[in-house]
Amino acid sequence: MRIPTRPLAAFAFLTAMALTLAACGGDGAAAPESGASATAVTVEPALMRPWNDTVQALGTVKARESVTVTAKVSETVEDVHFESGDVVKAGAPLVTLSGRQQRASLAEAQANAKEADRLYRRQAELAEQQLIARASLDTQRATRDAATARVSQIQAQLSDRVIRAPFAGVLGLRQVSPGSLVTPGTAIATLDDTARVHVDFPVPEASLSHLAAGQVLTATSAAWPGREFSGTVGTVDSRIDPVTRAVTVRGDFANADRALRPGMLLQVTLMRPERQALVVPEISIVQVGNSSYVFRVRDDDTVERADIEVGARRGGFAEVVAGLQAGDRVVVDGTGKLRAGEKIRVAAAADSDTAGQQTAGEEDADTRPEAPVAAEPTAE
Protein backbone atom coordinates (compact mmCIF):
# COMPACT_ATOMS: atom_id res chain seq x y z
CA MET A 1 0.00 0.00 0.00
CA ARG A 2 1.53 3.48 -1.07
CA ILE A 3 1.14 6.42 1.36
CA PRO A 4 0.88 9.92 -0.32
CA THR A 5 4.05 12.00 0.15
CA ARG A 6 2.45 15.48 0.28
CA PRO A 7 0.87 15.09 3.77
CA LEU A 8 4.24 13.86 5.11
CA ALA A 9 6.05 16.91 3.71
CA ALA A 10 3.48 19.27 5.22
CA PHE A 11 3.79 17.57 8.58
CA ALA A 12 7.60 17.88 8.51
CA PHE A 13 7.39 21.60 7.66
CA LEU A 14 4.97 22.33 10.51
CA THR A 15 7.15 20.41 12.95
CA ALA A 16 10.22 22.46 11.93
CA MET A 17 8.35 25.73 12.35
CA ALA A 18 7.18 24.73 15.81
CA LEU A 19 10.72 23.90 16.90
CA THR A 20 11.99 27.24 15.58
CA LEU A 21 9.35 29.21 17.46
CA ALA A 22 10.13 27.31 20.62
CA ALA A 23 13.84 28.08 20.29
CA CYS A 24 13.17 31.81 19.77
CA GLY A 25 10.68 32.04 22.63
CA GLY A 26 13.28 32.54 25.38
CA ASP A 27 14.65 35.99 26.14
CA GLY A 28 18.09 34.61 26.91
CA ALA A 29 18.71 33.56 23.27
CA ALA A 30 17.82 36.98 21.86
CA ALA A 31 20.64 38.77 23.64
CA PRO A 32 23.47 37.00 21.82
CA GLU A 33 21.84 37.72 18.44
CA SER A 34 21.44 41.41 19.34
CA GLY A 35 25.09 41.64 20.33
CA ALA A 36 26.20 39.87 17.16
CA SER A 37 24.21 42.30 14.98
CA ALA A 38 26.47 45.25 15.95
CA THR A 39 28.79 45.83 12.96
CA ALA A 40 32.49 46.26 13.73
CA VAL A 41 33.83 49.47 12.12
CA THR A 42 36.61 52.01 12.62
CA VAL A 43 35.68 55.56 13.52
CA GLU A 44 37.53 58.88 13.34
CA PRO A 45 36.39 62.40 14.26
CA ALA A 46 36.16 65.22 11.73
CA LEU A 47 38.82 67.75 12.74
CA MET A 48 39.90 71.26 11.80
CA ARG A 49 43.37 71.08 10.28
CA PRO A 50 45.76 73.36 8.37
CA TRP A 51 44.89 72.98 4.70
CA ASN A 52 46.44 74.12 1.43
CA ASP A 53 44.25 74.34 -1.63
CA THR A 54 45.95 73.37 -4.86
CA VAL A 55 45.38 74.17 -8.52
CA GLN A 56 46.78 71.68 -11.01
CA ALA A 57 47.43 72.36 -14.68
CA LEU A 58 49.66 71.35 -17.58
CA GLY A 59 52.42 73.83 -18.39
CA THR A 60 55.00 74.28 -21.12
CA VAL A 61 58.64 75.11 -20.41
CA LYS A 62 60.08 78.20 -22.09
CA ALA A 63 63.61 79.55 -21.93
CA ARG A 64 64.09 82.86 -20.16
CA GLU A 65 65.77 84.11 -23.34
CA SER A 66 65.54 82.28 -26.66
CA VAL A 67 66.61 83.21 -30.18
CA THR A 68 67.43 81.64 -33.53
CA VAL A 69 70.83 82.94 -34.62
CA THR A 70 70.76 84.23 -38.21
CA ALA A 71 72.93 86.34 -40.52
CA LYS A 72 72.23 89.94 -41.50
CA VAL A 73 73.87 89.77 -44.92
CA SER A 74 74.30 87.36 -47.79
CA GLU A 75 77.79 85.92 -47.58
CA THR A 76 79.81 82.72 -47.52
CA VAL A 77 80.69 81.10 -44.18
CA GLU A 78 84.42 81.38 -43.62
CA ASP A 79 84.72 79.75 -40.19
CA VAL A 80 82.46 78.18 -37.53
CA HIS A 81 83.57 78.68 -33.91
CA PHE A 82 81.15 76.38 -32.05
CA GLU A 83 79.80 72.86 -31.88
CA SER A 84 76.27 71.68 -31.22
CA GLY A 85 75.33 71.91 -27.55
CA ASP A 86 78.12 74.29 -26.53
CA VAL A 87 77.57 76.66 -23.60
CA VAL A 88 78.70 80.13 -24.67
CA LYS A 89 79.05 83.53 -23.04
CA ALA A 90 77.45 86.75 -24.24
CA GLY A 91 79.39 88.20 -27.19
CA ALA A 92 81.23 84.97 -28.04
CA PRO A 93 81.90 84.68 -31.82
CA LEU A 94 79.89 81.93 -33.45
CA VAL A 95 80.41 82.26 -37.20
CA THR A 96 82.76 84.37 -39.33
CA LEU A 97 81.61 85.26 -42.85
CA SER A 98 83.87 86.12 -45.72
CA GLY A 99 84.60 89.88 -45.82
CA ARG A 100 87.47 90.39 -48.28
CA GLN A 101 85.70 93.12 -50.20
CA GLN A 102 84.84 95.01 -47.05
CA ARG A 103 88.40 94.77 -45.75
CA ALA A 104 89.75 96.22 -49.01
CA SER A 105 87.19 99.00 -48.91
CA LEU A 106 88.16 99.70 -45.31
CA ALA A 107 91.82 100.11 -46.22
CA GLU A 108 90.86 102.57 -48.97
CA ALA A 109 88.56 104.53 -46.68
CA GLN A 110 91.19 104.74 -43.94
CA ALA A 111 93.73 106.12 -46.45
CA ASN A 112 91.25 108.73 -47.67
CA ALA A 113 90.42 109.71 -44.11
CA LYS A 114 94.08 110.06 -43.23
CA GLU A 115 94.75 112.29 -46.26
CA ALA A 116 91.66 114.39 -45.54
CA ASP A 117 92.79 114.89 -41.95
CA ARG A 118 96.31 115.93 -43.09
CA LEU A 119 94.92 118.51 -45.53
CA TYR A 120 92.60 119.87 -42.84
CA ARG A 121 95.43 120.41 -40.40
CA ARG A 122 97.54 122.10 -43.13
CA GLN A 123 94.73 124.46 -44.08
CA ALA A 124 94.08 125.25 -40.42
CA GLU A 125 97.67 126.54 -40.11
CA LEU A 126 97.23 128.66 -43.25
CA ALA A 127 93.93 130.02 -41.97
CA GLU A 128 95.62 131.16 -38.74
CA GLN A 129 98.09 133.14 -40.92
CA GLN A 130 95.13 134.46 -42.94
CA LEU A 131 96.59 133.03 -46.14
CA ILE A 132 93.39 131.17 -47.16
CA ALA A 133 89.75 131.97 -46.82
CA ARG A 134 87.85 130.65 -43.82
CA ALA A 135 85.33 128.98 -46.13
CA SER A 136 88.04 126.75 -47.63
CA LEU A 137 88.89 125.49 -44.13
CA ASP A 138 85.23 124.68 -43.45
CA THR A 139 84.99 122.73 -46.71
CA GLN A 140 88.06 120.69 -45.84
CA ARG A 141 86.66 119.95 -42.36
CA ALA A 142 83.50 118.53 -43.93
CA THR A 143 85.58 116.39 -46.29
CA ARG A 144 87.57 115.02 -43.36
CA ASP A 145 84.42 114.21 -41.37
CA ALA A 146 82.85 112.41 -44.35
CA ALA A 147 85.96 110.27 -44.79
CA THR A 148 85.95 109.36 -41.11
CA ALA A 149 82.25 108.39 -41.30
CA ARG A 150 82.98 106.20 -44.32
CA VAL A 151 85.58 104.30 -42.26
CA SER A 152 83.01 103.71 -39.48
CA GLN A 153 80.45 102.50 -42.00
CA ILE A 154 82.77 99.87 -43.48
CA GLN A 155 83.86 98.77 -40.00
CA ALA A 156 80.19 98.18 -39.13
CA GLN A 157 79.78 96.09 -42.28
CA LEU A 158 82.78 94.03 -41.27
CA SER A 159 81.38 93.50 -37.78
CA ASP A 160 78.23 92.07 -39.36
CA ARG A 161 80.46 89.39 -40.89
CA VAL A 162 81.19 88.08 -37.37
CA ILE A 163 78.01 86.64 -35.84
CA ARG A 164 78.14 86.70 -32.03
CA ALA A 165 76.00 85.28 -29.22
CA PRO A 166 73.58 88.01 -28.06
CA PHE A 167 73.45 86.50 -24.53
CA ALA A 168 74.88 83.60 -22.56
CA GLY A 169 73.20 80.27 -23.07
CA VAL A 170 73.21 76.83 -24.66
CA LEU A 171 73.48 76.39 -28.42
CA GLY A 172 71.32 73.91 -30.28
CA LEU A 173 72.20 71.92 -33.36
CA ARG A 174 74.62 73.53 -35.81
CA GLN A 175 72.92 74.22 -39.15
CA VAL A 176 75.84 75.55 -41.26
CA SER A 177 79.34 74.53 -42.28
CA PRO A 178 82.36 76.41 -43.67
CA GLY A 179 81.69 77.31 -47.29
CA SER A 180 77.90 77.50 -46.89
CA LEU A 181 76.13 80.48 -48.41
CA VAL A 182 73.90 82.19 -45.87
CA THR A 183 71.33 84.91 -46.45
CA PRO A 184 69.35 87.09 -44.04
CA GLY A 185 67.02 84.74 -42.15
CA THR A 186 69.11 81.58 -42.63
CA ALA A 187 69.12 79.66 -39.33
CA ILE A 188 72.61 79.06 -38.01
CA ALA A 189 71.70 77.61 -34.58
CA THR A 190 69.32 78.15 -31.69
CA LEU A 191 70.45 79.80 -28.47
CA ASP A 192 68.56 79.38 -25.19
CA ASP A 193 69.26 80.82 -21.76
CA THR A 194 68.05 77.97 -19.54
CA ALA A 195 69.80 78.82 -16.26
CA ARG A 196 66.27 79.79 -15.23
CA VAL A 197 63.16 78.86 -17.18
CA HIS A 198 59.56 80.00 -17.44
CA VAL A 199 56.60 77.63 -17.27
CA ASP A 200 53.35 78.96 -18.72
CA PHE A 201 50.13 77.22 -17.64
CA PRO A 202 46.40 78.11 -17.72
CA VAL A 203 44.32 78.68 -14.59
CA PRO A 204 40.49 78.89 -14.63
CA GLU A 205 38.98 82.34 -14.41
CA ALA A 206 37.24 81.40 -11.12
CA SER A 207 40.65 81.18 -9.39
CA LEU A 208 41.85 84.59 -10.56
CA SER A 209 41.27 86.25 -7.18
CA HIS A 210 43.55 83.70 -5.51
CA LEU A 211 46.54 84.29 -7.82
CA ALA A 212 49.46 86.48 -6.83
CA ALA A 213 53.14 86.79 -7.65
CA GLY A 214 55.40 84.83 -5.34
CA GLN A 215 53.06 81.87 -4.69
CA VAL A 216 54.77 78.49 -4.42
CA LEU A 217 54.75 76.13 -7.41
CA THR A 218 55.79 72.51 -7.76
CA ALA A 219 56.10 70.60 -11.02
CA THR A 220 56.80 67.08 -12.21
CA SER A 221 57.81 65.73 -15.60
CA ALA A 222 57.50 62.34 -17.26
CA ALA A 223 61.11 62.76 -18.38
CA TRP A 224 62.31 62.83 -14.74
CA PRO A 225 60.15 60.39 -12.76
CA GLY A 226 60.29 60.83 -9.00
CA ARG A 227 61.77 64.32 -9.18
CA GLU A 228 59.92 67.47 -8.13
CA PHE A 229 60.87 70.94 -9.36
CA SER A 230 60.20 74.01 -7.20
CA GLY A 231 59.35 77.49 -8.43
CA THR A 232 57.25 80.58 -7.81
CA VAL A 233 54.59 82.52 -9.68
CA GLY A 234 56.32 85.27 -11.62
CA THR A 235 53.56 86.97 -13.61
CA VAL A 236 49.82 86.64 -14.13
CA ASP A 237 48.73 87.61 -17.64
CA SER A 238 46.74 90.82 -17.96
CA ARG A 239 44.16 89.20 -20.25
CA ILE A 240 41.80 86.24 -19.98
CA ASP A 241 41.26 84.02 -23.01
CA PRO A 242 37.63 84.61 -24.10
CA VAL A 243 37.42 81.09 -25.56
CA THR A 244 38.79 78.99 -22.70
CA ARG A 245 37.98 81.49 -19.91
CA ALA A 246 41.43 80.87 -18.45
CA VAL A 247 44.29 83.18 -17.55
CA THR A 248 47.89 82.30 -18.32
CA VAL A 249 50.23 82.19 -15.33
CA ARG A 250 54.00 82.29 -15.82
CA GLY A 251 56.07 80.44 -13.24
CA ASP A 252 59.77 80.99 -12.63
CA PHE A 253 61.89 77.85 -12.02
CA ALA A 254 65.58 77.52 -11.24
CA ASN A 255 67.33 75.17 -13.67
CA ALA A 256 70.99 75.06 -12.71
CA ASP A 257 71.53 71.55 -14.13
CA ARG A 258 69.45 72.36 -17.24
CA ALA A 259 67.20 69.37 -16.66
CA LEU A 260 64.21 71.38 -17.91
CA ARG A 261 64.33 72.17 -21.61
CA PRO A 262 62.16 74.47 -23.70
CA GLY A 263 59.05 72.72 -24.98
CA MET A 264 58.79 70.16 -22.15
CA LEU A 265 55.37 69.39 -20.67
CA LEU A 266 55.07 69.70 -16.88
CA GLN A 267 52.32 68.87 -14.39
CA VAL A 268 52.21 72.07 -12.35
CA THR A 269 50.67 72.36 -8.87
CA LEU A 270 49.92 75.80 -7.47
CA MET A 271 49.84 75.97 -3.66
CA ARG A 272 47.37 78.50 -2.30
CA PRO A 273 47.81 80.15 1.15
CA GLU A 274 47.30 77.87 4.16
CA ARG A 275 43.97 78.00 6.01
CA GLN A 276 41.93 75.96 8.52
CA ALA A 277 39.49 73.42 7.04
CA LEU A 278 37.25 70.61 8.29
CA VAL A 279 38.88 67.40 7.07
CA VAL A 280 37.90 63.71 7.04
CA PRO A 281 39.66 60.64 5.62
CA GLU A 282 38.83 60.32 1.95
CA ILE A 283 37.88 56.63 2.25
CA SER A 284 35.04 57.51 4.65
CA ILE A 285 33.13 59.28 1.85
CA VAL A 286 30.54 57.30 -0.09
CA GLN A 287 29.99 58.62 -3.60
CA VAL A 288 26.66 57.91 -5.31
CA GLY A 289 26.28 59.75 -8.58
CA ASN A 290 26.75 63.45 -7.92
CA SER A 291 26.01 63.18 -4.21
CA SER A 292 28.41 62.37 -1.37
CA TYR A 293 27.68 61.28 2.17
CA VAL A 294 29.28 59.76 5.26
CA PHE A 295 27.94 57.65 8.12
CA ARG A 296 27.88 59.79 11.26
CA VAL A 297 27.88 58.00 14.61
CA ARG A 298 25.17 59.02 17.11
CA ASP A 299 25.53 58.98 20.90
CA ASP A 300 23.72 55.63 21.09
CA ASP A 301 26.29 54.01 18.74
CA THR A 302 23.92 53.92 15.80
CA VAL A 303 24.76 55.54 12.48
CA GLU A 304 22.94 58.04 10.33
CA ARG A 305 23.55 59.19 6.80
CA ALA A 306 24.97 62.72 6.60
CA ASP A 307 25.00 64.31 3.13
CA ILE A 308 28.09 66.49 2.70
CA GLU A 309 29.64 68.84 0.20
CA VAL A 310 33.22 67.90 -0.60
CA GLY A 311 35.88 70.46 -1.44
CA ALA A 312 39.49 69.74 -2.33
CA ARG A 313 41.12 66.34 -1.89
CA ARG A 314 44.78 65.81 -1.10
CA GLY A 315 46.98 63.19 0.51
CA GLY A 316 44.19 60.77 1.40
CA PHE A 317 42.06 63.46 3.07
CA ALA A 318 39.10 65.48 1.82
CA GLU A 319 37.77 68.86 2.84
CA VAL A 320 34.14 68.97 4.00
CA VAL A 321 32.56 72.27 3.01
CA ALA A 322 29.09 71.57 4.45
CA GLY A 323 27.22 68.78 6.23
CA LEU A 324 29.49 68.09 9.22
CA GLN A 325 30.78 69.87 12.29
CA ALA A 326 34.13 69.61 14.01
CA GLY A 327 34.13 66.67 16.41
CA ASP A 328 31.49 64.59 14.57
CA ARG A 329 32.49 60.95 14.48
CA VAL A 330 32.36 59.32 11.04
CA VAL A 331 32.81 55.71 9.99
CA VAL A 332 36.06 55.18 8.09
CA ASP A 333 36.27 51.43 7.43
CA GLY A 334 33.18 49.30 7.00
CA THR A 335 30.87 51.73 5.21
CA GLY A 336 30.00 49.15 2.57
CA LYS A 337 28.08 46.96 5.06
CA LEU A 338 26.20 49.71 6.93
CA ARG A 339 22.66 50.99 6.74
CA ALA A 340 21.20 54.10 8.35
CA GLY A 341 20.03 53.35 11.92
CA GLU A 342 22.24 50.28 12.29
CA LYS A 343 24.15 49.77 15.54
CA ILE A 344 27.93 49.72 15.30
CA ARG A 345 30.81 48.58 17.45
CA VAL A 346 34.14 50.42 17.27
CA ALA A 347 36.68 47.74 16.41
CA ALA A 348 40.36 47.67 17.23
CA ALA A 349 42.88 46.94 14.49
CA ALA A 350 43.01 43.22 15.36
CA ASP A 351 39.21 42.97 15.37
CA SER A 352 39.08 44.69 12.02
CA ASP A 353 41.55 42.17 10.53
CA THR A 354 39.62 39.24 12.02
CA ALA A 355 36.36 40.59 10.67
CA GLY A 356 37.95 40.86 7.27
CA GLN A 357 39.14 37.27 7.41
CA GLN A 358 35.69 36.10 8.50
CA THR A 359 34.06 38.01 5.71
CA ALA A 360 36.42 36.43 3.22
CA GLY A 361 35.64 32.99 4.68
CA GLU A 362 31.92 33.61 4.38
CA GLU A 363 32.36 34.67 0.77
CA ASP A 364 34.30 31.45 0.06
CA ALA A 365 31.58 29.43 1.72
CA ASP A 366 28.96 31.13 -0.41
CA THR A 367 30.83 30.14 -3.52
CA ARG A 368 31.13 26.46 -2.57
CA PRO A 369 28.64 24.14 -4.29
CA GLU A 370 25.79 22.93 -2.07
CA ALA A 371 25.75 19.27 -0.99
CA PRO A 372 23.14 17.21 -2.82
CA VAL A 373 19.92 16.65 -0.85
CA ALA A 374 18.98 13.02 -0.29
CA ALA A 375 15.75 11.99 -1.90
CA GLU A 376 12.82 11.45 0.48
CA PRO A 377 11.91 7.74 0.70
CA THR A 378 8.49 6.78 -0.41
CA ALA A 379 6.43 4.55 1.77
CA GLU A 380 4.85 1.67 0.15
Side-chain angles (χ1 to χ4, degrees):
M1 176 179 175
R2 182 180 298 274
I3 300 175
T5 58
R6 290 186 179 178
L8 291 177
F11 177 78
F13 176 77
L14 293 174
T15 303
M17 288 295 295
L19 292 175
T20 302
L21 291 174
C24 294
D27 295 335
E33 288 184 6
S34 177
S37 64
T39 305
V41 296
T42 58
V43 175
E44 286 190 18
L47 299 176
M48 298 296 294
R49 297 182 182 181
W51 187 258
N52 288 96
D53 292 328
T54 60
V55 177
Q56 294 187 340
L58 293 176
T60 302
V61 177
K62 294 184 178 181
R64 183 173 59 175
E65 302 290 349
S66 180
V67 70
T68 299
V69 181
T70 60
K72 294 182 180 179
V73 296
S74 297
E75 194 56 85
T76 303
V77 175
E78 187 175 90
D79 197 5
V80 179
H81 306 287
F82 73 94
E83 293 296 335
S84 300
D86 282 355
V87 179
V88 295
K89 297 180 179 180
L94 303 179
V95 173
T96 300
L97 303 179
S98 177
R100 296 177 183 176
Q101 181 180 355
Q102 284 70 31
R103 284 191 289 269
S105 298
L106 177 62
E108 179 185 1
Q110 287 175 337
N112 293 334
K114 183 178 180 180
E115 178 63 16
D117 182 65
R118 188 186 65 81
L119 289 176
Y120 170 75
R121 285 188 280 106
R122 174 61 179 165
Q123 290 188 11
E125 293 175 358
L126 294 175
E128 288 179 359
Q129 299 173 10
Q130 297 182 352
L131 297 178
I132 62 172
R134 199 72 185 179
S136 298
L137 180 62
D138 294 340
T139 301
Q140 186 58 39
R141 183 188 295 111
T143 302
R144 183 200 63 177
D145 293 344
T148 303
R150 176 62 178 167
V151 171
S152 300
Q153 178 184 7
I154 298 176
Q155 287 175 341
Q157 293 176 354
L158 273 175
S159 66
D160 290 341
R161 265 65 182 175
V162 180
I163 302 174
R164 301 178 181 273
F167 50 82
V170 182
L171 291 166
L173 300 177
R174 191 179 77 174
Q175 304 293 336
V176 297
S177 298
S180 302
L181 176 64
V182 296
T183 59
T186 300
I188 296 174
T190 58
L191 178 64
D192 297 304
D193 180 5
T194 55
R196 298 190 70 86
V197 296
H198 299 311
V199 178
D200 292 349
F201 59 95
V203 174
E205 177 185 357
S207 300
L208 180 61
S209 61
H210 302 292
L211 298 176
Q215 288 179 321
V216 177
L217 295 174
T218 58
T220 57
S221 171
W224 303 98
R227 181 174 177 179
E228 187 175 81
F229 301 91
S230 300
T232 57
V233 174
T235 308
V236 180
D237 197 359
S238 59
R239 295 185 178 182
I240 295 177
D241 191 327
V243 178
T244 61
R245 300 299 177 187
V247 61
T248 300
V249 178
R250 171 163 289 183
D252 187 18
F253 285 78
N255 192 34
D257 60 351
R258 294 185 170 86
L260 298 178
R261 301 192 179 189
M264 287 180 65
L265 183 68
L266 296 184
Q267 177 72 42
V268 184
T269 302
L270 170 65
M271 306 294 294
R272 291 170 57 182
E274 187 177 84
R275 60 185 177 83
Q276 292 291 319
L278 185 63
V279 176
V280 297
E282 191 173 7
I283 60 173
S284 65
I285 300 174
V286 181
Q287 190 78 32
V288 179
N290 294 327
S291 63
S292 303
Y293 67 90
V294 296
F295 284 107
R296 178 167 49 198
V297 182
R298 297 193 186 102
D299 294 337
D300 59 355
D301 287 340
T302 60
V303 295
E304 63 178 351
R305 170 172 169 168
D307 292 319
I308 61 172
E309 182 180 346
V310 182
R313 302 172 186 249
R314 181 168 56 86
F317 290 90
E319 177 192 8
V320 179
V321 178
L324 285 180
Q325 294 182 354
D328 287 348
R329 295 186 301 160
V330 298
V331 176
V332 178
D333 291 326
T335 57
K337 51 188 176 181
L338 286 181
R339 298 292 182 271
E342 188 172 348
K343 195 173 185 62
I344 58 101
R345 174 174 59 88
V346 178
D351 294 343
S352 178
D353 296 341
T354 304
Q357 295 174 1
Q358 291 177 351
T359 303
E362 292 173 358
E363 291 177 354
D364 293 342
D366 292 340
T367 58
R368 298 192 193 101
E370 295 182 356
V373 180
E376 185 178 350
T378 58
E380 295 183 354

